[in-house]
Structure formats: C-alpha cells, structure tokens
C-alpha cells in the first residue's frame, strides 16, 4: 500500500440540513459531503479511513469537530499545502474544514480523544430566539432559573451509568464520566448556555440530560430529579430529549505526545468495543 500520511481535519458545520455525520444512502450527511469533495480533488478511493471524534446526530452543529483521513505520502506531498483552500472552494457553505495538518501516525480522532465538549443554547425570552440564532438556539416557553439548572447539573457530574439518558446499543456500556456540566446566562442576550464535557457520550445522552435539566430549571421538577434517574438501568420514559438544533460540539481534547495518543486509543478500544 506504501507509506501513508494521517491528516487531521478540524471541522465546523451547521447541522440544520444534514442527516447527521455518518454516511447514509439517499441522505445528505457531513461525512458524505466531505468525502465527495475529497474524491473530486484527489480521485476516488485515494483518501481512506475517514474517522470522526463524535458522530453527531441529525440537526446537531459543530464548531470543534475533529476527524482524520489517510492519504498516500506522494499525494499529501503534492496536495497538502493547497488542500485546505481547495476544500473551501468546493465544500457547501454549511460545512468548513477550519484546519488541516499532518498528525502523528498514532493519532485516532475517535479513540485517542480524552474528552468531548458540547454546548446547548436555550432562550426563555418571551419573544423567542433571535432570528439570526434561531438555528442554534432553542426557544423555551417557560422562565428558567439558572440556580435551579446548576443544582440539577451538579447531581449529574462524575462517573455514572447513564442508561436512563441513552439509546442503548447491544453489548455497549452506558457508563460515562461527566467531568463538567454547568449553566450560565450570557450578558449580551440573556441566552442560557449549558456546557457539558465527558470522556465520551452515548447516543442522545447530551440532549436527554438537557431535557431533564430544563424541566427542573422551569420548576416543574425538583432540582434533584435528574440525578434521581441515574438509578434506572434502562432508558427513562420520563426524560424528554431536547431538540437537536440547540446542540453544538465545540471541542475535542487529545494527549499531546504520540505515545500517549497510542495508549489512549488502545485503552478506549478495550472499553468501548465489545469483545467477540
């Protein structure tokens, strides 16, 4: 196969008109759009192994998504210096590759990640979301109390079985470690922003956590109610999944040296991939 270069891509997108990240037949996806343009530039099958840090759902946005792709060394040498600008010229306007660089061979966008960080935007203004932010901000019909939201959030921080907040996959663990979960109200426009960070998330977990906290924040549930759902070992029917459009992947963290990248990837594979 010859020597290949692993390239890291830092990606942003407006998820409104995408059916999520992953390639799907007959559907417009972020990965599909990116692969189509890479093939236009490099040729069919030249870029291989496209792997992403977080496979965002339909309607979810990103400002800090990370992916990697493998390219033959001669192709990288010839096209690497101009590839970012060529991608900008051909990609649709709702997805951008913000940075493109050679990564260590040990780098794995998915398994080397130490954390993913998301933000969820909600407005409780009586007029709803600003027209210019309607695609990334949920309009909530009731007044929200930031202290109640943070009290609800505090009980969800740490390592727990989040089965009540996840769409379960066969033989996959729902144990996750949430290292940060807090809310603040922005000074500029009064929008409430939740920041949630964890080693990884299972499907629909962030939006389920937000949905549970919102009903505590508007007073319909006590602040301790979301944490009380952690005793469940199956998805809770009482938890409503917040709409996708308020959610944005804003950052992914990685170890700094190649040895740590490889060790992190190996440890994550053992944890996340079920044994045969």
């Amino acid at each position: 196969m010859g020597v290949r270069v692993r390239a890291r891509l830092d990606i942003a997108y407006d998820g409104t008109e995408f059916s999520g990240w992953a390639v799907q037949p007959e559907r417009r996806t972020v990965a599909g759009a990116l692969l189509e343009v890479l093939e236009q530039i490099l040729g069919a099958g030249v870029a291989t192994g496209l792997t992403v840090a977080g496979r965002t759902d339909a309607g979810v946005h990103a400002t800090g998504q990370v992916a990697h792709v493998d390219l033959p060394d001669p192709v990288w040498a010839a096209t690497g210096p101009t590839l970012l600008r060529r991608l900008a010229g051909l990609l649709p306007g709702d997805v951008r590759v913000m940075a493109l660089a050679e990564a260590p061979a040990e780098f794995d966008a998915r398994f080397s990640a130490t954390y993913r960080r998301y933000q969820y935007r909600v407005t409780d203004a009586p007029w709803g979301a600003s027209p210019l932010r309607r695609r990334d901000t949920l309009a909530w019909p009731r007044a929200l109390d930031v202290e109640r939201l943070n009290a609800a959030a505090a009980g969800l921080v740490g390592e727990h079985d989040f089965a009540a907040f996840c769409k379960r996959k066969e033989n996959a663990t729902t144990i996750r470690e949430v290292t940060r979960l807090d809310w603040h109200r922005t000074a500029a426009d009064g929008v409430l922003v939740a920041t949630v960070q964890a080693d990884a998330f299972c499907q629909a977990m962030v939006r389920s956590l937000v949905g549970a906290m919102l009903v505590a924040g508007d007073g319909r549930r006590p602040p301790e109610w979301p944490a009380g759902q952690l005793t469940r070992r199956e998805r809770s029917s009482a938890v409503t999944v917040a709409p996708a459009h308020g959610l944005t992947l804003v950052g992914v963290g990685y170890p700094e040296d190649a040895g740590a990248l490889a060790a992190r990837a190996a440890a994550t594979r053992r944890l996340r991939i079920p044994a045969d």
Side-chain angles (χ1 to χ4, degrees):
M1 183 179 292
V3 177
R4 299 185 74 81
V5 171
R6 178 149 294 184
R8 169 176 167 161
L9 296 81
D10 290 75
I11 305 167
Y13 46 87
D14 176 344
T16 305
E17 296 178 9
F18 287 110
S19 296
W21 168 268
V23 173
Q24 301 177 57
E26 309 292 320
R27 291 184 179 272
R28 184 174 186 259
T29 68
V30 182
L34 185 57
L35 286 169
E36 181 180 346
V37 172
L38 284 171
E39 288 201 350
Q40 280 184 258
I41 297 171
L42 305 174
V46 174
T48 60
L50 179 64
T51 301
V52 73
R55 291 172 51 145
T56 50
D57 293 334
V60 176
H61 317 293
T63 58
Q65 181 68 279
V66 179
H68 78 250
V69 69
D70 294 329
L71 301 172
D73 183 70
V75 172
W76 175 254
T79 64
T82 61
L83 187 54
L84 185 64
R85 188 170 295 278
R86 294 173 73 182
L87 286 167
L90 292 172
L91 281 168
D94 50 1
V95 56
R96 297 285 95 182
V97 176
M98 309 297 289
L100 177 66
E102 182 174 350
E106 297 84 359
F107 176 79
D108 187 298
R110 177 186 176 191
F111 289 115
S112 295
T114 55
Y115 67 80
R116 283 89 172 161
R117 182 186 301 130
Y118 285 85
Q119 288 188 337
Y120 197 98
R121 290 173 50 90
V122 186
T123 179
D124 58 357
W127 57 84
S130 162
L132 295 181
R133 298 305 299 261
R134 72 192 186 281
R135 288 189 168 208
D136 74 346
T137 304
L138 173 67
W140 195 249
R142 298 174 176 85
L144 292 163
D145 183 281
V146 71
E147 291 186 4
R148 290 180 64 90
L149 287 168
N150 277 317
L156 299 167
V157 175
E159 185 175 87
H160 304 286
D161 187 341
F162 286 94
F165 300 93
C166 294
K167 292 183 179 178
R168 184 178 289 277
K169 291 185 178 180
E170 190 72 21
N171 298 322
T173 180
T174 50
I175 296 173
R176 298 290 190 272
E177 183 181 10
V178 173
T179 54
R180 178 181 175 184
L181 181 53
D182 55 68
W183 291 80
H184 72 277
R185 192 183 287 274
T186 61
D189 55 11
V191 168
L192 287 146
V193 180
T195 301
V196 54
Q197 178 174 300
D199 55 344
F201 295 94
C202 46
Q203 188 175 6
M205 178 176 161
V206 179
R207 291 193 287 134
S208 296
L209 291 172
V210 170
M213 289 185 288
L214 286 174
V215 295
D218 67 17
R220 286 181 290 163
R221 297 278 194 179
E224 60 270 19
W225 181 78
Q229 300 301 299
L230 293 171
T231 60
R232 295 175 174 265
R233 292 298 169 262
E234 71 286 327
R235 170 131 187 100
S236 173
S237 60
V239 173
T240 300
V241 180
H245 73 277
L247 185 62
T248 301
L249 175 60
V250 297
V252 184
Y254 296 96
E256 291 186 4
D257 65 89
L261 285 168
R264 174 67 183 181
T268 306
R269 284 190 181 93
R270 287 195 297 270
L271 180 65
R272 303 291 175 219
I273 299 180
D276 293 335

